[in-house]
Amino acid sequence: MTNKKTHPFDEALQLSGANNSYSGHTSPAYANMRGPFGGITAAVLLKAILEHPEHLGDPLSLTVNYAAPVQDGAFTIQTQLMRTNRSTQHWFVTLAQAETIAATATAVFAKRRPTWGATERPFPTIPPMEQCDSLLPSFLPPWTKQYELRLKGGTAKLFASDADKGSSETVQWIQDKPPRLLDFASLTAICDVFFPRIFVRLGQFMPIGTVSLTIYFHVDAATLSAHGDAPLIGAARANRFGNSYFDQAAEIWTPAGNLLATTHQIVYFKG
Amino acid sequence: MTNKKTHPFDEALQLSGANNSYSGHTSPAYANMRGPFGGITAAVLLKAILEHPEHLGDPLSLTVNYAAPVQDGAFTIQTQLMRTNRSTQHWFVTLAQAETIAATATAVFAKRRPTWGATERPFPTIPPMEQCDSLLPSFLPPWTKQYELRLKGGTAKLFASDADKGSSETVQWIQDKPPRLLDFASLTAICDVFFPRIFVRLGQFMPIGTVSLTIYFHVDAATLSAHGDAPLIGAARANRFGNSYFDQAAEIWTPAGNLLATTHQIVYFKG
């Protein structure tokens, strides 16, 4: 124990337990409209594997299915190692509250080797962070206060009109608040910080809920560690809205143009 | 029983069993370089849920993790209903051979209601099917013969040069061969028919293997049924290649511009 203050993110991710069974507790700092921010749930599911003594290599892919609202309070996580190969490993993880499954996840971990590489997706353009405003509507839920979120074009302007904008694409600066050294758990949560694309597209708030989230990690732990606690750049857009659901495709970049993660989700909306 | 010839796709997807435990067999028609085509494995995992008496609504999302090579021969599928809500349902499915887990999958099923809708992603352009050649290299594995695959710009030209093309994007016509009425199982397999993006980008063949595949379905069963057995249009590209893995993002459209599915995968390559 030290008297150094623990970052709220690390407090939210505290787990106790062993032998594939762990206990945790939701954090008021990362609360959403109802229950916790989906990104913190994804992060704690991944952390249960990252802390597992049998885990091999770094996360390569993670899919989280949100099966039921997580209630504020205690939860249990069960990890199951489905298969270990020479360089990859497959996990299945569940989060439950009082016998009720609230989320399931599968993850692939991998040891990666240097190969030819190229980033095909164009790096998004955004003005310097200090030129983008950080105004967020005051009624947004607590988790939004744990991030510095500064949108190209201005955050306040985003919801200024309820006309159909024809596009839901945003580019934004993203940073833990207070700043925190980047790792796979925090990158996982950051993959879910984008405002729901239907809010952006229509300039309206409505009940929504992410049903499934997938992340592909394109870098190793050393690359994340070398990034330190500097801000990141995210870009997100939808492909299709309709019949109660829309999808979101997004990327997380370093300001130097290193693509850290690509992420997708499918989201319920009550339209 | 009728004497009407069963389509090879339906033969490959035959399952027997009940009570969450089913038996199937790989099909020589859908063989890949080693073991079966990943798309047919994804399709049979989904079919186990589609045939389950407790399944609710239509598939909304599917993630398949390929844990080990599937060997030619018999396999067993175990389905597990993790949670049923009013309008969504969460499944976990495994495919095993002789106690070895070869694949795991999670799926969300949903009952959808009419809402506001819009397709944000631009519809790709491609010449009429009859103007695109269907020449495939003769050494490609058997499953490629089960599809009519006609690429914009020509299939043969794709591998004519081993220079780095700077882009891995392709647009192509896709149809079951012989034609077959579209359903969620066949659409699932079709989401995996794109040539590995590293072959396209570098004009070279090398050992590859999909590690994780995710599909978001944007339409219901009635929409697929109304499409009949007509060809589809697919577009695919990579975002990032590096350190033994690359990703692929793709979309499946009707020729009339209806976006049926968006799909992503992360793929190992031995570079």
Side-chain angles (χ1 to χ4, degrees):
Chain A
M1 299 286 288
T2 72
N3 60 6
K4 193 180 155 204
K5 196 160 169 266
T6 305
H7 192 285
F9 186 79
D10 295 293
E11 270 180 29
L13 258 56
Q14 273 176 16
L15 290 174
S16 58
N19 298 325
N20 293 313
S21 186
Y22 308 92
S23 301
H25 198 286
T26 60
S27 157
Y30 288 87
N32 206 343
M33 294 290 186
R34 180 182 171 190
F37 166 48
I40 205 83
T41 301
V44 78
L45 286 162
L46 185 68
K47 186 168 178 255
I49 306 173
L50 287 166
E51 286 193 348
H52 198 291
E54 291 178 57
H55 95 269
L56 170 146
D58 287 327
L60 177 71
S61 76
L62 174 71
T63 294
V64 178
N65 289 351
Y66 298 90
V70 177
Q71 310 296 328
D72 294 330
F75 54 78
T76 58
I77 292 180
Q78 306 277 343
T79 55
Q80 196 178 342
L81 177 51
M82 303 302 295
R83 181 162 177 102
T84 297
N85 298 308
R86 202 168 41 182
S87 71
T88 58
Q89 197 176 49
H90 291 257
W91 293 87
F92 178 58
V93 189
T94 58
L95 186 149
Q97 290 181 307
E99 313 295 306
T100 296
I101 295 286
T104 70
T106 59
V108 184
F109 276 54
K111 289 194 222 165
R112 307 176 73 148
R113 276 184 290 266
T115 60
W116 174 82
T119 300
E120 197 162 306
R121 187 168 189 92
F123 182 49
T125 60
I126 185 168
M129 192 170 181
E130 61 275 14
Q131 291 176 25
C132 299
D133 79 51
S134 62
L135 292 174
L136 287 182
S138 59
F139 57 84
L140 288 182
W143 75 263
T144 60
K145 280 78 179 170
Q146 310 309 318
Y147 293 97
E148 192 66 45
L149 300 172
R150 299 196 183 192
L151 274 75
K152 180 178 176 176
T155 307
K157 221 191 281 179
L158 200 63
F159 306 112
S161 145
D162 67 356
D164 181 351
K165 295 178 179 63
S167 166
S168 68
E169 181 137 28
T170 57
V171 181
Q172 60 197 80
W173 290 97
I174 306 164
Q175 189 177 26
D176 280 304
K177 195 161 68 180
R180 180 184 173 280
L181 296 177
L182 187 65
D183 58 22
F184 282 108
S186 65
L187 179 57
T188 294
I190 283 169
C191 282
D192 195 36
V193 299
F194 299 96
F195 294 114
R197 294 301 97 183
I198 197 151
F199 295 4
V200 176
R201 171 82 189 236
L202 298 182
Q204 287 176 34
F205 294 91
M206 63 186 80
I208 64 99
T210 298
V211 173
S212 186
L213 165 73
T214 289
I215 302 171
Y216 297 151
F217 299 100
H218 296 290
V219 293
D220 61 12
T223 305
L224 296 186
S225 179
H227 179 74
D229 63 5
L232 298 168
I233 294 169
R237 71 212 65 80
N239 292 301
R240 171 75 196 157
F241 303 85
N243 294 334
S244 316
Y245 291 90
F246 66 87
D247 71 331
Q248 177 189 280
E251 304 82 36
I252 306 291
W253 304 80
T254 68
N258 196 358
L259 182 57
L260 303 181
T262 45
T263 180
H264 305 91
Q265 55 180 274
I266 188 136
V267 184
Y268 167 81
F269 71 98
K270 189 167 180 174
Chain B
M1 300 284 285
T2 72
N3 58 6
K4 195 180 154 204
K5 196 160 169 265
T6 305
H7 193 284
F9 185 79
D10 295 292
E11 270 180 29
L13 258 58
Q14 274 177 16
L15 290 174
S16 59
N19 298 324
N20 293 313
S21 185
Y22 308 91
S23 301
H25 199 286
T26 60
S27 157
Y30 288 87
N32 206 342
M33 293 290 187
R34 180 183 172 191
F37 164 49
I40 205 83
T41 301
V44 78
L45 285 162
L46 185 70
K47 187 170 178 254
I49 305 172
L50 287 165
E51 286 193 349
H52 198 291
E54 291 178 57
H55 95 270
L56 169 145
D58 287 326
L60 177 71
S61 75
L62 174 71
T63 293
V64 179
N65 289 351
Y66 298 91
V70 177
Q71 310 295 328
D72 293 330
F75 55 78
T76 59
I77 292 180
Q78 306 278 343
T79 55
Q80 196 177 342
L81 177 50
M82 303 302 295
R83 181 161 177 103
T84 298
N85 298 309
R86 203 169 40 181
S87 70
T88 58
Q89 197 177 48
H90 291 257
W91 293 87
F92 179 57
V93 189
T94 58
L95 185 149
Q97 291 182 306
E99 313 294 307
T100 297
I101 295 286
T104 71
T106 59
V108 184
F109 276 54
K111 289 194 223 165
R112 307 176 73 148
R113 276 183 290 266
T115 60
W116 174 82
T119 300
E120 196 162 308
R121 186 167 189 92
F123 183 49
T125 60
I126 186 169
M129 191 170 182
E130 61 276 13
Q131 291 175 26
C132 299
D133 79 49
S134 62
L135 292 174
L136 288 181
S138 59
F139 57 83
L140 288 182
W143 74 263
T144 60
K145 279 77 180 170
Q146 310 309 318
Y147 293 97
E148 192 67 44
L149 300 171
R150 299 196 183 191
L151 273 75
K152 180 178 177 177
T155 307
K157 220 192 283 179
L158 200 63
F159 305 113
S161 146
D162 66 356
D164 180 352
K165 293 178 180 63
S167 165
S168 68
E169 181 137 28
T170 57
V171 182
Q172 60 197 80
W173 289 97
I174 306 164
Q175 190 177 24
D176 281 304
K177 195 162 65 179
R180 180 184 174 280
L181 296 176
L182 187 65
D183 57 22
F184 282 108
S186 65
L187 179 57
T188 294
I190 282 169
C191 282
D192 194 36
V193 300
F194 299 95
F195 294 114
R197 295 300 97 183
I198 196 151
F199 295 3
V200 176
R201 171 84 189 234
L202 299 181
Q204 288 175 34
F205 294 91
M206 63 186 78
I208 64 99
T210 298
V211 173
S212 186
L213 165 74
T214 288
I215 303 171
Y216 297 151
F217 299 99
H218 297 289
V219 293
D220 61 12
T223 306
L224 296 186
S225 180
H227 178 73
D229 63 5
L232 297 167
I233 294 168
R237 71 212 65 81
N239 293 302
R240 170 75 195 157
F241 303 85
N243 294 335
S244 316
Y245 291 89
F246 66 87
D247 71 330
Q248 177 189 281
E251 303 82 37
I252 307 290
W253 303 80
T254 68
N258 196 357
L259 182 57
L260 302 181
T262 46
T263 179
H264 305 91
Q265 55 180 277
I266 189 134
V267 184
Y268 167 81
F269 71 98
K270 190 168 178 173

